Amino acid sequence: QVQLVESGGGLVQAGGSLRLSCAASGRSFSTYTMGWFRQAPGKERDFVAAISWSGGRTYYADSMKGRFTISRDNAKNTVYLQMNSLKPEDTAIYYCAAGLFLENTIVTVTTTSSYFYWGQGTQVTVSS
């Protein structure tokens, strides 16, 4: 069982930055692939980024490449999402998720149903 709590969301102007954190409690955090997803009002939950258990592999949605950076600190049971050059269209609730995968394929890490555990989300609002 893993419990996930996101923090770091807020209101920021376009072009600004935020760093989201996801603190995990429970066993074996370092064995989980961790992902960030987001959901805007009236839209589906979309993949943002993911990171392998060791941190050696990272994955990003195309629109986030070069702007967002995912990282993890297994000693602190925490995964981060650094978001730079934010745009109004980045406004959404951001969720972190944990999953155990036999293999980190692109389909696996980008699909919401692949993940076992989810946090409650943190709101990010980007004003124009």
Side-chain angles (χ1 to χ4, degrees):
Q1 192 81 7
V2 175
Q3 292 80 42
L4 304 173
V5 179
E6 302 95 336
S7 62
L11 174 64
V12 65
Q13 288 188 331
S17 298
L18 283 174
R19 188 175 84 152
L20 305 184
S21 299
C22 174
S25 60
R27 302 171 67 177
S28 304
F29 169 78
S30 62
T31 65
Y32 286 85
T33 294
M34 299 299 296
W36 285 97
F37 291 76
R38 70 185 186 185
Q39 189 166 18
K43 295 188 177 181
E44 294 185 351
R45 192 170 296 188
D46 291 329
F47 171 74
V48 173
I51 188 166
S52 63
W53 66 270
S54 67
R57 289 290 304 273
T58 57
Y59 310 82
Y60 296 94
D62 287 342
S63 60
M64 286 71 170
K65 288 180 182 177
R67 297 192 301 127
F68 291 9
T69 302
I70 189 170
S71 61
R72 67 190 296 163
D73 185 338
N74 286 342
K76 296 182 178 179
N77 281 11
T78 302
V79 62
Y80 305 97
L81 184 68
Q82 177 67 43
M83 305 186 295
N84 299 328
S85 303
L86 284 163
K87 306 174 182 179
E89 51 264 42
D90 293 319
T91 295
I93 299 174
Y94 283 71
Y95 299 89
C96 73
L100 278 173
F101 309 137
L102 291 176
E103 184 181 359
N104 281 346
T105 67
I106 296 298
V107 172
T108 300
V109 303
T110 61
T111 303
T112 56
S113 59
S114 299
Y115 291 82
F116 298 154
Y117 304 109
W118 291 85
Q120 299 281 31
T122 185
Q123 176 71 48
V124 171
T125 303
V126 184
S127 63
S128 58

